[in-house]
Structure formats: C-alpha cells, structure tokens
C-alpha cells in the first residue's frame, strides 16, 4: 500500500470555478477502509494548505461526499514525480 501513486484515484482535469485547471483526488475504492490511505489523503491536504510555491499545486477544496473524502487541487501538466525519480537512490 505504501507504493507511490497507488493510494489515490485521480479525475480527469476540469476547470475549477477559479478558472484554473483542477483534479480531484480520492482514496481508491479498494483502500477506503484502510486508515493509512485516509491518513495519506489528509497529509496531502494539510501540506497543500500550508505550501506556497510555484511547483506545488494550489489546494481548492477538501470535502466528503457519498464516495468518501476528496481533495480538489490544481492540475499540473508534466512528468509524474515517480517517473522523474527512476534510477535515483537515497544516499
């Protein structure tokens, strides 16, 4: 479960009322009962709410609906971090 990118399902980009391109992240259906997965979403929301940097997406909304908790954040075009890290090792 701790593999990068394996915890969330992400919507296709859409236009947020702010005019920015946005995505919605949710805990994957098969992991919704896992406290660690829910904690990962909460940690990401907390980080995005505090961070102010051009390389960090803006947080637009945090909520819960019939499908569970979600985070709406700015969508970034580009290479996923996991792809950029291929071949790198911790020192």
């Amino acid at each position: 479960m701790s593999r990068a990118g394996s915890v969330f399902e992400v919507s296709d980009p859409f236009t947020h009322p702010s005019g920015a391109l946005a995505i919605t992240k949710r805990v994957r259906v098969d992991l919704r009962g896992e406290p660690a997965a829910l904690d990962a979403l909460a940690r990401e929301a907390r980080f995005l709410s505090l961070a102010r940097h051009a390389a960090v997406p803006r947080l637009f909304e945090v909520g819960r609906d019939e499908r569970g908790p979600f985070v709406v954040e700015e969508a970034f075009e580009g290479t996923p971090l996991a792809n950029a890290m291929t071949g790198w090792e911790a020192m």
Side-chain angles (χ1 to χ4, degrees):
M1 209 249 3
S2 63
R3 291 185 316 260
S6 66
V7 177
F8 304 122
E9 59 184 36
V10 179
S11 69
D12 289 330
F14 61 92
T15 302
H16 186 264
S18 69
L21 197 59
I23 57 168
T24 301
K25 284 188 179 178
R26 297 178 179 275
V27 173
R28 287 188 355 219
V29 174
D30 58 318
L31 297 175
R32 285 192 188 144
E34 295 289 332
L38 297 171
D39 288 346
L41 186 64
R43 273 193 314 276
E44 179 158 345
R46 275 192 303 276
F47 170 76
L48 293 176
S49 74
L50 298 171
R52 299 288 181 270
H53 190 277
V56 177
R58 291 178 291 168
L59 177 66
F60 294 130
E61 185 178 350
V62 176
R64 179 182 291 274
D65 61 15
E66 66 279 350
R67 293 176 49 206
F70 63 87
V71 172
V72 179
E73 64 186 63
E74 184 177 17
F76 277 8
E77 302 266 342
T79 303
L81 182 57
N83 293 1
M85 293 176 59
T86 301
W88 288 75
E89 293 183 23
M91 294 179 75

